[in-house]
């Protein structure tokens, strides 16, 4: 909810400098998840198509509020929340349960616990939500009724089997699993270090926020090449469907990576790192600090209820 306005402004600024032609698509990402947005016609009034004459971020922020109202800054939020809720519930529940299980086996202070728990929990959440992601992207691509969507998905399953619902899963796993492994490893280490420095047993909101932002930034930089590859794969797939162009040959993760390096050099694999950091760092910080605060609040509430039944 808090970082969506930043992304709406970023997308508007991109659209005015590089207008999207009919049938073209782009990836809209808010730091938690991605959306494919397809431009259907030139006079579309969709939030990503509106023409703008913005001088910069602050100018765009003020002009959007003046001309379109403050609600425009939260365009595209409903599909984000629909997908983010199950993903986050699965992810954090699995992480906590796996951490506890591994602590009893490997010992409480084993440094590999956040690494293993983070990787496995992200792998589980990505795998569970992948078919929903595919279905949601289909709904964004064309205005399907639920009946048409069911017919489309069931005919695809009949032709290519159930595994067709997990298309794009490999590039998502390659990006998100290392991200989570690094994120939780660095987060737990920074949290312990800062708690020791301040002299507290449980992390404060500020400690969790700072640790989350720092570890999220490190993980984002390291996994950026896989994010770039995923963006290429998604846009190629959906432009193929909308423009009816035969799909290009090299669609595997490593083939796309080689193609990007050949065309733009190594720096091509780190395209868009600055806006990604601007989104990922606050998104990770807000999510983990709110989560930690929620955990300590409900633990306190649980103890209080048990003391005074």
């Amino acid at each position: 909810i808090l970082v969506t306005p930043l992304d709406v402004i970023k997308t508007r600024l991109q659209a005015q400098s590089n207008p999207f032609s009919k049938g073209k698509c782009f990836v809209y990402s808010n730091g938690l998840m991605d959306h494919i947005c397809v431009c259907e016609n030139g006079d579309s009034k969709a939030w990503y198509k509106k023409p703008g004459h913005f001088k910069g971020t602050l100018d765009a922020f003020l002009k959007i509020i003046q001309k379109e109202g403050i609600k425009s800054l939260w365009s595209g939020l409903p599909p984000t929340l629909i997908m983010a809720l199950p993903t986050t519930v699965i992810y954090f529940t699995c992480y906590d349960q796996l951490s506890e299980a591994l602590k009893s086996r490997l010992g409480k202070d084993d440094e590999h616990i956040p690494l293993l728990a983070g990787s496995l929990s992200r792998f589980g959440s990505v795998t569970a939500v992948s078919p929903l992601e595919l279905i949601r992207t289909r709904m964004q691509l064309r205005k399907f009724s639920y009946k048409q969507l069911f017919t489309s998905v069931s005919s695809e399953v009949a032709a290519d089997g159930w595994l067709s619902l997990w298309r794009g899963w490999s590039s998502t796993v390659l990006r998100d699993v290392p991200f989570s492994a690094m994120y939780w490893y660095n987060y737990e280490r920074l949290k312990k270090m800062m708690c020791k420095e301040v002299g507290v047993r449980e992390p404060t909101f500020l400690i969790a926020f700072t640790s989350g932002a720092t570890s999220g930034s490190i993980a984002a930089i390291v996994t950026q090449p896989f994010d770039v590859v995923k963006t290429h794969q998604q846009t190629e797939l959906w432009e193929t469907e909308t423009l009816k162009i035969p799909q290009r040959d090299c669609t595997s993760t490593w083939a796309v990576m080689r193609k990007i390096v050949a065309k733009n050099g190594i720096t091509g694999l780190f395209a868009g790192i600055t806006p990604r950091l601007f989104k990922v760092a606050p998104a990770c910080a807000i999510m983990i600090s709110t989560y930690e605060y929620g955990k300590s609040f409900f633990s306190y509430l649980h103890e209080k209820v048990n003391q005074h039944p």
Side-chain angles (χ1 to χ4, degrees):
I1 289 167
L2 288 168
V3 298
T4 296
L6 288 171
D7 216 54
V8 169
I9 290 164
K10 180 190 73 74
T11 309
R12 291 286 192 91
L13 289 167
Q14 283 178 335
Q16 75 170 8
S17 61
N18 184 26
F20 304 113
S21 57
K22 185 182 175 182
K24 284 281 176 182
C25 64
F26 66 95
V27 176
Y28 156 68
S29 171
N30 65 353
L32 284 174
M33 55 195 310
D34 306 325
H35 308 292
I36 291 290
C37 297
V38 181
C39 305
E40 291 180 9
N41 50 54
D43 60 351
S44 168
K45 288 185 180 178
W47 61 270
Y48 52 83
K49 276 289 287 178
K50 281 176 184 164
H53 301 286
F54 310 125
K55 292 170 189 171
T57 305
L58 186 63
D59 185 53
F61 181 80
L62 295 170
K63 281 182 180 173
I64 290 167
I65 292 172
Q66 284 169 1
K67 292 178 183 177
E68 303 163 31
I70 200 160
K71 280 185 181 178
S72 286
L73 291 171
W74 279 270
S75 303
L77 183 64
T80 303
L81 291 176
I82 289 162
M83 287 296 295
L85 286 170
T87 307
T88 312
V89 167
I90 295 165
Y91 182 38
F92 279 108
T93 307
C94 288
Y95 179 78
D96 265 351
Q97 296 300 313
L98 282 164
S99 292
E100 290 305 313
L102 288 165
K103 276 175 190 174
S104 62
R105 285 173 176 267
L106 303 173
K108 198 178 178 182
D109 299 317
D110 196 297
E111 287 190 349
H112 297 99
I113 289 169
L115 204 108
L116 289 166
S119 302
L120 291 168
S121 57
R122 194 64 184 175
F123 183 87
S125 65
V126 164
T127 305
V129 180
S130 194
L132 287 175
E133 176 80 18
L134 185 80
I135 289 164
R136 183 180 56 81
T137 314
R138 282 279 161 87
M139 289 181 83
Q140 286 182 321
L141 180 65
R142 296 193 191 98
K143 288 177 182 176
F144 279 132
S145 68
Y146 286 106
K147 192 179 177 182
Q148 287 172 319
L149 184 70
F150 178 77
T151 308
S152 167
V153 171
S154 56
S155 61
E156 195 170 313
V157 169
D160 302 323
W162 285 100
L163 287 175
S164 62
L165 292 176
W166 277 267
R167 273 186 192 150
W169 171 85
S170 59
S171 59
T172 310
V173 163
L174 280 168
R175 181 192 64 178
D176 289 359
V177 170
F179 181 97
S180 289
M182 281 181 281
Y183 173 76
W184 286 108
Y185 179 77
N186 289 320
Y187 172 73
E188 296 289 357
R189 288 198 74 175
L190 283 166
K191 186 175 77 172
K192 274 182 190 174
M193 211 161 62
M194 289 176 83
C195 283
K196 198 176 178 182
E197 196 74 31
V198 178
V200 291
R201 283 185 66 191
E202 289 298 314
T204 61
F205 188 88
L206 189 64
I207 288 172
F209 192 93
T210 309
S211 303
T214 308
S215 53
S217 300
I218 295 164
I221 292 164
V222 177
T223 58
Q224 181 65 14
F226 294 110
D227 187 59
V228 172
V229 169
K230 186 172 184 283
T231 301
H232 273 259
Q233 287 177 321
Q234 282 183 312
T235 50
E236 279 186 18
L237 173 65
W238 297 114
E239 280 179 16
T240 296
E241 290 214 5
T242 49
L243 297 172
K244 305 294 179 191
I245 300 167
Q247 200 163 342
R248 294 157 206 177
D249 297 330
C250 53
T251 54
S252 76
T253 300
W254 302 114
V256 173
M257 202 175 269
R258 282 199 301 271
K259 189 174 76 174
I260 293 165
V261 171
K263 193 179 177 183
N264 304 313
I266 292 290
T267 53
L269 292 173
F270 291 89
I273 186 68
T274 306
R276 190 176 180 222
L277 279 173
F278 272 113
K279 292 177 295 180
V280 172
C284 286
I286 292 161
M287 192 159 67
I288 196 68
S289 50
T290 310
Y291 177 69
E292 290 281 14
Y293 179 80
K295 261 206 311 187
S296 59
F297 174 78
F298 287 111
S299 294
Y300 170 75
L301 208 69
H302 182 69
E303 282 173 22
K304 205 175 178 183
V305 168
N306 284 348
Q307 282 170 5
H308 308 284

